[in-house]
Amino acid sequence: MKTSITLIAAAALAASAPAVAQQRVVKVDGSSTVFPVTEAVAEDFQVAKKRSVHVTVGISGTGGGFKKFCRGETDVSNASRPILRKEMDDCKAAGIEYIELPVAFDALTVVINPKNNFVKQLTIAEMKKMWEPAAQGKVTTWNQVNPAWPNQPMKLFGPGADSGTFDYFTEAVVGKSKSSRGDFTASEDDNVLVQGVARDVNSLGYFGFAYYVENRDKLKAVPIVNEKGQPVTPSMEAVERGSYSPLSRPIFIYVSVKSLQKPEVKEFVEYYLQNGGKLAREVKYVPLPDSAYKTALQHVRQGKKGTVFGGVAEVGITIEELLKREARL
């Protein structure tokens, strides 16, 4: 009897083994801003593959994602800014080669509570006054930023230091990446920031456009005054026109050259580039022109390694400028 039970158990294990072996895994991590696009692509891809491939998508932030990527722990890294010099060096030291693939444009969105009736627009100078390191512990009320605003406490919410959105925002607003006051509520999870601003009438925060659109019933987007002196509300159309400046930016995935040797990773990345534009629009990001995805697909198939940014997170690049660079890679 004992022998029979053992044989039955062994047979059951053997029968289940192929099913387990058949499910291949693609590991993605990084930016919470890029997460909605990648999550949508991953879901559709898994359905197309009849769940024979499992795609995991984490949100460690752009910086946190690159740390894992450059250690060889992930196949694909979501990034809301280009790879930086230190990350390039870390990847090189670990023998990790990569292909940089822009997948959409984002309108980094500054939000306030809907009951805030005094902030009609914001200049870069006003935001710098709020967020620069010198403001820590000193600029704590709204009227300190603009005398026309009330003497009420100002509550700030923003991404954490591992976030590419944090890097881009500080570069665009303060003038130096990662240069920020530290006395604000920080989180790598944009949903935490959404809830914080939604709960407090005196709050302000920033994150990717998709999170604003998803929660526009409980948030108000602030028009940002561009270099031409025009207050512009974030929108897909404003990004396409190039008028939402300097807070529009490209978002990326980086794929490991070694991981591309695995059929499931190659299939996922190709599926991303063939369907990412449509899905980016669905989750309220600005898709690139069709030609951009075709160029990116060629880069994957030809193994065009590296970055067109030279390790610097530039501010204010337009869709047109990005496409010219990618074409020259």
Side-chain angles (χ1 to χ4, degrees):
M1 185 67 168
K2 187 175 180 182
T3 304
S4 299
I5 292 171
T6 303
L7 289 172
I8 291 166
L13 189 62
S16 66
V20 172
Q22 283 171 9
Q23 189 172 64
R24 300 160 295 163
V25 177
V26 178
K27 295 180 181 177
V28 187
D29 207 322
S31 167
S32 61
T33 301
V34 187
F35 174 82
V37 188
T38 301
E39 181 189 39
V41 173
E43 182 57 35
D44 280 15
F45 175 73
Q46 288 172 122
V47 170
K49 289 292 173 183
K50 301 189 182 335
R51 303 287 174 182
S52 65
V53 179
H54 180 53
V55 183
T56 65
V57 188
I59 48 170
S60 298
T62 297
F66 274 131
K67 286 173 187 171
K68 293 181 180 181
F69 184 73
C70 293
R71 291 197 296 258
E73 296 172 10
T74 56
D75 304 302
V76 178
S77 206
N78 289 334
S80 61
R81 56 151 172 81
I83 190 168
L84 301 178
R85 173 57 60 186
K86 170 70 165 59
E87 294 156 347
M88 292 168 68
D89 292 343
D90 289 345
C91 275
K92 186 176 181 179
I96 303 295
E97 296 181 302
Y98 51 83
I99 299 174
E100 175 183 83
L101 301 169
V103 294
F105 254 71
D106 174 35
L108 199 160
T109 304
V110 179
V111 297
I112 53 177
N113 187 282
K115 292 180 181 176
N116 181 321
N117 56 10
F118 55 88
V119 175
K120 308 299 183 186
Q121 62 186 47
L122 280 168
T123 65
I124 296 299
E126 286 170 337
M127 288 192 290
K128 181 178 181 180
K129 196 178 287 188
M130 291 179 189
W131 287 97
E132 65 185 342
Q136 181 162 331
K138 296 176 182 176
V139 180
T140 57
T141 60
W142 285 99
N143 66 331
Q144 288 176 285
V145 177
N146 185 324
W149 295 342
N151 182 14
Q152 293 292 330
M154 184 173 60
K155 308 278 184 66
L156 298 176
F157 294 82
D162 268 343
S163 165
T165 299
F166 173 79
D167 292 345
Y168 189 92
F169 183 84
T170 49
E171 182 80 44
V173 169
V174 181
K176 183 181 178 184
S177 180
K178 297 187 182 295
S179 179
S180 173
R181 67 190 299 164
D183 56 343
F184 67 96
T185 301
S187 176
E188 306 298 345
D189 185 345
D190 291 326
N191 292 304
V192 172
L193 308 180
V194 167
Q195 294 306 317
V197 177
R199 282 197 296 262
D200 194 319
V201 68
N202 285 309
S203 60
L204 176 144
Y206 65 93
F207 36 73
F209 185 65
Y211 287 92
Y212 159 66
V213 173
E214 190 179 333
N215 298 279
R216 66 195 323 162
D217 57 325
K218 47 192 170 188
L219 300 170
K220 187 193 296 185
V222 183
I224 304 301
V225 179
N226 64 19
E227 61 275 5
K228 294 180 180 177
Q230 304 163 328
V232 180
T233 302
S235 69
M236 296 173 75
E237 295 74 22
V239 172
E240 288 169 345
R241 288 195 306 268
S243 61
Y244 189 67
S245 176
L247 296 185
S248 69
R249 56 178 177 159
I251 57 176
F252 308 84
I253 60 171
Y254 286 75
V255 57
S256 162
V257 171
K258 183 179 179 182
S259 291
L260 274 174
Q261 295 172 11
K262 296 188 284 188
E264 60 270 27
V265 175
K266 186 171 184 289
E267 290 165 9
F268 172 68
V269 171
E270 290 187 349
Y271 187 91
Y272 202 131
L273 296 174
Q274 289 161 348
N275 298 274
K278 177 189 71 172
L279 293 169
R281 187 175 290 279
E282 285 184 13
V283 298
K284 307 308 178 188
Y285 287 132
V286 179
L288 301 174
D290 290 344
S291 60
Y293 297 107
K294 289 176 183 174
T295 297
L297 198 53
Q298 286 176 354
H299 287 176
V300 170
R301 290 171 176 169
Q302 294 168 4
K304 293 264 183 102
K305 297 175 284 192
T307 171
V308 299
F309 291 89
V312 178
E314 294 179 43
V315 166
I317 186 170
T318 65
I319 294 175
E320 185 180 1
E321 288 167 350
L322 175 67
L323 298 186
K324 285 179 181 175
R325 290 192 195 186
E326 291 294 330
R328 292 196 300 265
L329 184 64

